[in-house]
Amino acid sequence: MTVVEERDTPSATAEPTRRLRAVIGWVIIAALVVGVAWVGIQIAATAPSDRRSLDPEGRGDSGALALAEILRDQGVEVEVHRSRAEARAAIDDDTTLVMTNPYTLSDEAVAELMDPADRVVFLSVGAHLLDSLGLGDYSSAPLSEVDAQCSAGEFARVGTIEPDRLMTPAPGVEWCFGDDEGAAVLIDDADGRRTSIVDGTRLFSNAYLAENGNAALALALLGQTDRVVWYVPSLGDSDLEGTSEDTLGTLTPPWVTPAIILLMLSGIAAALWRGRRFGPLVAETLPVTVRASETMHGRARLTAKAADAPHAALAIRDGAQRRLARRLGLTARATPDEVADAASDRLRIPRGTLQSLLAGPLPADDAALVELARRLAELEDAVEQTHRPARAAGAPSAHSPSTTEAEDTRDR
């Protein structure tokens, strides 16, 4: 008996091929690692900066470097400050203070920053900012291309723009590029200071500054003085105090993360060290011989344990049918009906008598299984007795009716 097992069987011809495949595999892995590293370096080298939206030094699509350069080309001095203290110190009488929505500052810090400026322009909108400045609120009016439609002379040559968001002006606040229901620009001249606000997140970005009258609107808002102090709000310059919620990283000791990484690396190293490569499948003769009776008894015990009477009956019937076919001179492929007819002829009983025994329904319980096995054993004994020659001339067999029948049986 043979069995198939996995084992390494190096040979003189297979060993060089195996080594060549291993070398090629490691070369491919090294090439992939180098390729991934090169792509990562290229992405890191060409990745966009961490500048926020409408940052005057941002080169990405959402930055405002193009607007800052246009102002410089028009003779306007643009100073970029990321500290509100430095920005406040740089403001004089001929300066325009420009910033996006200062959500990182408190209302007091915003008021302190705006205090020395005569012109203030906010390039993005926030609900809290509109409310704190008393300029109005967000509008639900439909968006469409609009022109100035106001008395402000600096907007006379702007043309049309397509704003992203409109605002409803508060009483006493002048609006431009819209109507009383919603306008793109709000202007307030209270307290001797002109405060303008517009949602220019898209209008003044590098990607859309050249569309419609976006650039002209930006120059009309920011180019009215010789100097522009552009303050860029950031969390690092915030005066708001907040507490962050505890996370798993803050609650665990600092040595946990290095320990986890060390364990992962150790596991990978152990897998590479102890891992083995299996060779091809090899058929090998076992050193012992397993007798068929052991297999038969093992299957019988499994069938008995499962209480599968139909399966056991089918096995008993198949074995009896093969033995009967051999004793009756039939082929191994004889059908149950053919075996039943041949046995009926041999026993001199009507045909069709044994069909239910060899091809009928299988028993469903142990009692019926025992009865079926008993009847099949009796049938095999009867056929075997007819197949034996008479023990003595003129003496009929104990299981055959006459000598003539025995001779007929022998002739068959």
Side-chain angles (χ1 to χ4, degrees):
M1 184 176 180
T2 61
V3 68
V4 176
E5 66 175 11
E6 292 180 340
R7 56 174 298 184
D8 275 316
T9 56
S11 62
T13 58
E15 188 66 23
T17 304
R18 196 171 301 144
R19 291 181 179 177
L20 179 61
R21 291 177 181 176
V23 171
I24 294 175
W26 282 111
V27 169
I28 293 175
I29 293 174
L32 290 176
V33 171
V34 173
V36 171
W38 183 83
V39 172
I41 293 174
Q42 295 298 318
I43 293 176
T46 59
S49 63
D50 58 352
R51 306 301 184 187
R52 295 180 179 273
S53 177
L54 293 183
D55 191 302
E57 296 177 345
R59 299 177 180 273
D61 291 343
S62 62
L65 179 62
L67 175 56
E69 293 300 326
I70 290 177
L71 289 173
R72 293 188 178 99
D73 292 341
Q74 297 297 318
V76 179
E77 182 183 355
V78 179
E79 296 183 11
V80 180
H81 295 281
R82 303 184 184 274
S83 169
R84 68 179 186 278
E86 295 177 357
R88 189 178 188 281
I91 299 173
D92 56 23
D93 295 339
D94 193 21
T95 302
T96 299
L97 174 62
V98 179
M99 72 182 92
T100 57
N101 178 23
Y103 65 93
T104 59
L105 302 180
S106 63
D107 294 343
E108 294 77 10
V110 174
E112 181 183 358
L113 180 62
M114 294 172 56
D115 184 60
D118 291 332
R119 300 179 67 93
V120 180
V121 179
F122 292 95
L123 300 181
S124 60
V125 185
H128 179 76
L129 179 64
L130 288 172
D131 182 68
S132 62
L133 296 177
L135 297 180
D137 200 355
Y138 280 129
S139 172
S140 59
L143 301 177
S144 61
E145 290 189 2
V146 293
D147 53 12
Q149 299 181 3
C150 65
S151 59
E154 59 265 32
F155 301 135
R157 302 179 61 181
V158 171
T160 60
I161 63 171
E162 188 176 352
D164 284 341
R165 181 173 292 177
L166 302 180
M167 297 164 285
T168 302
V173 176
E174 184 179 1
W175 56 265
C176 295
F177 298 94
D179 52 27
D180 294 333
E181 298 295 330
V185 180
L186 301 182
I187 302 174
D188 183 23
D189 291 324
D191 300 331
R193 180 192 307 115
R194 166 160 286 199
T195 303
S196 305
I197 187 168
V198 58
D199 189 3
T201 305
R202 180 176 179 272
L203 296 176
F204 302 150
S205 63
N206 295 333
Y208 297 96
L209 184 62
E211 294 184 359
N212 301 323
N214 297 349
L217 175 61
L219 289 176
L221 288 171
L222 280 64
Q224 301 303 315
T225 58
D226 294 335
R227 293 179 65 247
V228 168
V229 174
W230 198 316
Y231 170 65
V232 182
S234 63
L235 294 175
D237 192 49
S238 175
D239 65 328
L240 299 175
E241 295 181 359
T243 56
S244 59
E245 297 181 359
D246 291 333
T247 61
L248 182 61
T250 59
L251 295 176
T252 54
W255 55 265
V256 172
T257 300
I260 293 176
I261 296 176
L262 180 61
L263 288 176
M264 292 177 60
L265 294 177
S266 301
I268 295 174
L272 295 176
W273 172 50
R274 298 297 297 174
R276 58 174 302 212
R277 298 178 58 190
F278 293 102
L281 297 178
V282 178
E284 181 178 294
T285 302
L286 288 176
V288 296
T289 301
V290 180
R291 288 184 285 181
S293 60
E294 296 183 9
T295 304
M296 179 186 67
H297 288 116
R299 291 179 179 176
R301 283 192 294 269
L302 291 176
T303 303
K305 185 177 181 180
D308 190 359
H311 185 271
L314 181 61
I316 295 173
R317 178 181 284 175
D318 289 342
Q321 179 182 334
R322 289 194 300 270
R323 290 188 293 272
L324 288 172
R326 183 172 63 253
R327 293 168 181 170
L328 294 172
L330 300 177
T331 62
R333 296 182 180 180
T335 63
D337 292 337
E338 294 175 350
V339 175
D341 292 340
S344 299
D345 293 341
R346 176 66 62 88
L347 299 177
R348 305 301 179 103
I349 59 178
R351 286 198 173 196
T353 305
L354 303 177
Q355 264 72 10
S356 61
L357 180 60
L358 294 176
L362 296 173
D365 52 19
D366 293 343
L369 174 63
V370 173
E371 178 64 20
L372 176 66
R374 185 187 62 79
R375 293 180 59 189
L376 288 173
E378 291 179 353
L379 176 60
E380 289 189 61
D381 290 341
V383 172
E384 179 67 22
Q385 292 298 331
T386 60
H387 186 67
R388 293 175 182 175
R391 286 177 288 182
S397 175
H399 295 277
S400 33
S402 63
T403 306
T404 304
E405 292 180 4
E407 291 176 354
D408 291 341
T409 301
R410 186 169 53 252
D411 293 338
R412 291 173 184 269

